[in-house]
Amino acid sequence: GQQLNQSPQSMFIQEGEDVSMNCTSSSIFNTWLWYKQDPGEGPVLLIALYKAGELTSNGRLTAQFGITRKDSFLNISASIPSDVGIYFCAGVGTASKLTFGTGTRLQVTL
Amino acid sequence: DAGVIQSPRHEVTEMGQEVTLRCKPISGHNSLFWYRQTMMRGLELLIYFNNNVPIDDSGMPEDRFSAKMPNASFSTLKIQPSEPRDSAVYFCASGTSGRSEQYFGPGTRLTVT
């Protein structure tokens, strides 16, 4: 099945640094979702974006819905050790079907 | 509030055996989704239900897979007979029709030997 392209694939950062990741698609989506998955657990919804150009924050997380509707961005400010995990974007198509990105693995060093 | 509940969390079975995975969606949600996650293919939608009715099962890999939702609070995904290539983590997610957000359970890690 189709997966959206996420970059970077993985990243090591130091505690306190800001993080940026993005997700691109060849198709247009009307909604973008961002999830975080911890080892051995299911994805947890972080942020939902509903309109092109929309910028939404959830604590230290900020996400944007690209104006072309083919991309989305997630930023994490002042990273902490519990930010470790895999971050997935998901584009929502017809009938609420999600197409997931390939994931960005975040690892934080103290 | 309880989230999506899945059981078992881990299942190890031998090739050819029947496997049944169970899911209880969040109370009040009327959409339910079954996903499979592997390293190679990521998260793939297998089937989804709306108001207990299967809407799209185009992601179900083959006839060995079947899913049911007898009522609003319970769904099963069955694999019969199981094969080693079915080894994966299977997730159930629920949501509300008309809204995009889906909430995932903790998953069932299936290993078929």
Side-chain angles (χ1 to χ4, degrees):
Chain A
Q2 178 193 7
Q3 289 189 78
L4 307 179
N5 293 317
Q6 277 186 250
S7 66
Q9 187 174 22
S10 65
M11 55 194 315
F12 281 89
I13 60 169
Q14 288 201 335
E15 186 177 1
E17 286 185 353
D18 296 344
V19 174
S20 293
M21 61 189 78
N22 67 71
C23 184
T24 58
S25 168
S26 57
S27 306
I28 288 174
F29 290 105
N30 292 320
T31 300
W32 284 92
L33 306 175
W34 282 93
Y35 288 88
K36 177 176 182 271
Q37 186 174 21
D38 291 330
E41 300 295 332
V44 173
L45 182 63
L46 299 174
I47 288 182
L49 301 158
Y50 304 101
K51 191 188 305 184
E54 179 182 355
L55 191 70
T56 297
S57 293
N58 178 9
R60 294 180 295 106
L61 277 60
T62 302
Q64 184 162 24
F65 192 143
I67 57 173
T68 66
R69 295 164 61 195
K70 291 183 178 181
D71 54 8
S72 182
F73 310 88
L74 177 70
N75 295 313
I76 305 173
S77 62
S79 56
I80 59 178
S82 62
D83 291 334
V84 163
I86 304 178
Y87 291 80
F88 290 99
C89 63
V92 185
T94 56
S96 298
K97 293 179 72 169
L98 266 56
T99 301
F100 281 88
T102 48
T104 293
R105 182 182 297 272
L106 182 64
Q107 294 174 271
V108 178
T109 58
L110 297 175
Chain B
D1 285 344
V4 175
I5 298 172
Q6 291 188 247
S7 65
R9 291 295 310 275
H10 302 273
E11 177 80 37
V12 180
T13 191
E14 292 184 346
M15 179 177 167
Q17 296 297 306
E18 177 181 294
V19 174
T20 299
L21 312 181
R22 297 172 176 80
C23 175
K24 177 179 170 55
I26 293 171
S27 177
H29 284 183
N30 63 344
S31 296
L32 185 139
F33 307 81
W34 282 100
Y35 289 88
R36 178 171 67 177
Q37 186 177 40
T38 61
M39 289 294 293
M40 290 298 295
R41 299 173 67 88
L43 274 158
E44 301 175 280
L45 178 65
L46 300 177
I47 184 171
Y48 81 92
F49 296 82
N50 200 39
N51 293 321
N52 312 338
V53 176
I55 303 300
D56 186 344
D57 64 355
S58 60
M60 296 284 261
E62 48 197 272
D63 291 346
R64 298 184 298 106
F65 286 69
S66 63
K68 294 182 179 179
M69 191 164 186
N71 58 62
S73 59
F74 184 66
S75 177
T76 59
L77 178 68
K78 186 177 292 186
I79 308 172
Q80 166 63 21
S82 57
E83 296 182 2
R85 59 191 168 124
D86 301 330
S87 297
V89 182
Y90 291 81
F91 289 104
C92 174
S94 70
T96 302
S97 59
R99 294 196 60 85
S100 302
E101 300 89 338
Q102 294 179 23
Y103 299 88
F104 283 75
T108 295
R109 180 174 293 277
L110 174 66
T111 303
V112 183
T113 61

